[in-house]
Amino acid sequence: MLGSQRSRRNVTAFLAGLGLLVTGAALQVSTSATPAAAATPHRILFDDGHAEEAGNADWIISTGKPDPLSQDSSPSSETDWTGALSSWGVALQKTGDYSLKTATSALAYGGSSANDLSNFDTLVLPEPNTLFTAAEKTAIMTFVKNGGGLFMISDHTGADRNNDGEDAVEILNDLMTDNSVDSTDPFGFSIDSLSISSGYPAAISDSTDPVLHGSFGAVTKSLIASGTTATLKPADNSSVKGLLYRSGYSGNTGAFFATSAFGSGRVAFWGDSSPIDDGTGQSGNTLYDGWNDTGATNAALALNATEWLSGASGSGGGGGGADCTDAQLLGNTGFESGATAWSATSGVITNSTGESARTGSYYAWLGGNGTAGTETLSQSAAIPSGCSATLSLYLHIDTAETTASTAYDTLQVQVLNSSGTVLGTLATYSNLNAASGYAQRSFSLSAYAGQTVTLRFTGTEGSKLQTSFVIDDTALSVT
């Protein structure tokens, strides 16, 4: 059989000329729906200690408290957990990048309890219906100031679900204006006392914003089904930014979704709880399925925002993370400088005519030998804290294998730490994925922000027929 880089290129050209290409089949590992698990999952705490289940509200990810995994340790659909926020929770859980908990008692920071805010990266306040105590407000504001993420979800004015005289508008405004840490408009916005019956607030045009264009998809619109907006005050906090606006509004008024920063932390505001409601929950509640509303992209908005907020701190609400500068981190992305910046098995980076580069003359070619062996290609990069990161590349696969069911030859795309330990496998391709031409593949690496990682491609062939895995035009983009 074939046993050298030179001979594999000759036989590959011959096989391609005979048309021995096998049409692609399903990937062995998903490349988009389930990003590789982070070494240290982002820790999210959902509040349920302030009447979030009063009346028709059911703003919980699961009836398993504090740990939703106690209801179902491996949820595959939103009905595996019970609560109107179960779609949100299950979607995060399935990525492997998040550790989720529910708080049912007073919020605290700097203590020893398992649900102390110092043990989390993000706090979600899903339409609280009782006032926070002075101690809780100090805890929340200190948590954000020290690098935590805060997700505040309001509802329309007058939505007093437990009839105690307070609604989410008043409660969240009270948090921002009457606390011991900073009561001088710390986030740069106030929540409007409005009850807007309906609408589809539209996203601003900003392709670089990680909340509007994150790893969970692009955001175009959200939903108002009795909600409110915010008034922005950039003179008080220049980082405040409106992302989605009520129809007819822009600038500093009518912001339905906004983001800001405070200290080392990040803040997000959403003007209605209907978009996060998945329509299912505990018996007796009248719920509304805004999560799956076809006129909006509420799921992408909730998930992207959670990802962005969680990147604000490197470790438990105390790490702090600066705003990320857009950059491309890989060197020699198209291999035109040969082996520069890359570590590779001899002959992998080539300008051979046995395969074709997507652009330029050089490319990376793993496999193609038709004999048992393993080849690798790798490069290290430091992903800054607080950044959204995406690995993209173009991949072509051709094969002489004739099976439609057995993966004899494989290519693994993996992330390793500086010690060489595999942190996650982004995807595994095989001879079953062979197809003509290049196809772009993209993977979220946001979970590895703050780490220096090695991206490694490993091609492994069996002992008989060849499979070629050809890579070109790579990029590791951060925003």
Side-chain angles (χ1 to χ4, degrees):
M1 305 312 299
L2 303 176
S4 70
Q5 296 289 330
R6 182 180 299 276
S7 59
R8 81 166 178 189
R9 281 147 176 71
N10 293 336
V11 77
T12 303
F14 172 69
L15 291 170
L18 291 177
L20 294 178
L21 297 176
V22 179
T23 302
L27 294 181
Q28 304 303 302
V29 174
S30 171
T31 63
S32 58
T34 308
T40 302
H42 300 307
R43 298 158 297 180
I44 316 296
L45 184 66
F46 286 81
D47 183 46
D48 186 34
H50 297 85
E52 281 91 352
E53 296 178 71
N56 279 325
D58 197 38
W59 311 136
I60 57 173
I61 56 173
S62 169
T63 52
K65 306 172 194 176
D67 188 352
L69 297 180
S70 64
Q71 181 178 15
D72 189 314
S73 61
S74 184
S76 59
S77 68
E78 63 93 5
T79 55
D80 291 334
W81 288 354
T82 304
L85 307 188
S86 60
S87 286
W88 189 356
V90 169
L92 293 174
Q93 180 66 34
K94 287 171 66 177
T95 69
D97 291 342
Y98 296 85
S99 173
L100 311 178
K101 296 292 187 293
T102 299
T104 57
S105 56
L107 299 171
Y109 181 81
S112 59
S113 73
N115 277 350
D116 189 88
L117 289 176
S118 62
N119 297 321
F120 294 89
D121 299 305
T122 296
L123 170 65
V124 180
L125 301 177
E127 196 194 332
N129 251 251
T130 59
L131 288 166
F132 297 104
T133 66
E136 286 182 309
K137 288 187 284 187
T138 298
I140 294 169
M141 296 298 295
T142 303
F143 166 71
V144 180
K145 185 176 182 179
N146 288 346
L150 178 63
F151 205 153
M152 300 191 298
I153 300 166
S154 185
D155 203 356
H156 61 91
T157 191
D160 180 8
R161 298 180 184 272
N162 61 342
N163 298 313
D164 69 345
E166 304 289 346
D167 58 38
V169 173
E170 297 165 326
I171 292 163
L172 295 175
N173 277 334
D174 177 72
L175 168 65
M176 295 185 287
T177 59
D178 185 17
N179 66 79
S180 65
V181 178
D182 188 337
S183 295
T184 60
D185 193 21
F187 304 153
F189 66 85
S190 60
I191 304 173
D192 302 325
S193 295
L194 296 173
S195 183
I196 305 165
S197 61
S198 62
Y200 284 95
I204 64 172
S205 178
D206 187 347
S207 61
T208 67
D209 190 276
V211 175
L212 299 179
H213 297 275
S215 63
F216 292 96
V219 175
T220 56
K221 291 186 177 182
S222 187
L223 164 77
I224 298 179
S226 293
T228 189
T229 56
T231 297
L232 311 186
K233 303 173 184 178
D236 294 340
N237 186 327
S238 61
S239 66
V240 70
K241 179 181 181 181
L243 298 188
L244 291 96
Y245 284 83
R246 180 185 178 190
S247 179
Y249 290 80
S250 62
N252 295 333
T253 60
F256 183 61
F257 196 104
T259 57
S260 188
F262 176 64
S264 298
R266 295 175 175 176
V267 179
F269 160 79
W270 208 339
D272 195 359
S273 55
S274 296
I276 57 170
D277 186 344
D278 63 23
T280 68
Q282 299 173 86
S283 177
N285 290 321
T286 302
L287 300 169
Y288 177 87
D289 189 3
W291 185 267
N292 296 302
D293 190 295
T294 57
T297 47
N298 293 317
L301 181 53
L303 297 168
N304 286 345
T306 308
E307 181 179 60
W308 177 75
L309 288 167
S310 298
S313 61
S315 56
D323 287 345
C324 189
T325 300
D326 292 358
Q328 197 290 116
L329 303 181
L330 294 183
N332 191 21
T333 57
F335 307 104
E336 296 304 311
S337 298
T340 302
W342 295 92
S343 296
T345 302
S346 178
V348 163
I349 297 176
T350 181
N351 64 348
S352 166
T353 58
E355 291 279 1
S356 298
R358 178 179 176 271
T359 59
S361 302
Y362 281 79
Y363 55 91
W365 185 358
L366 297 97
N369 294 303
T371 187
T374 299
E375 296 173 327
T376 61
L377 171 73
S378 64
Q379 185 174 155
S380 297
I383 304 176
S385 297
C387 288
S388 294
T390 301
L391 169 66
S392 63
L393 58 103
Y394 283 85
L395 176 65
H396 165 64
I397 304 172
D398 64 53
T399 187
E401 301 285 358
T402 58
T403 178
S405 59
T406 304
Y408 289 115
D409 313 310
T410 60
L411 175 72
Q412 284 191 318
V413 186
Q414 294 178 309
V415 181
L416 291 72
N417 65 16
S418 57
S419 300
T421 301
V422 175
L423 301 178
T425 298
L426 302 177
T428 300
Y429 303 92
S430 76
N431 49 280
L432 300 178
N433 304 120
S436 60
Y438 280 88
Q440 187 175 34
R441 310 292 184 179
S442 298
F443 315 93
S444 172
L445 297 186
S446 300
Y448 305 103
Q451 302 181 55
T452 296
V453 298
T454 297
L455 307 175
R456 186 177 71 185
F457 304 86
T458 303
T460 303
E461 283 191 292
S463 60
K464 294 184 179 180
L465 303 175
Q466 75 86 29
T467 300
S468 295
F469 302 97
V470 188
I471 299 168
D472 204 356
D473 297 333
T474 65
L476 175 53
S477 303
V478 295
T479 60

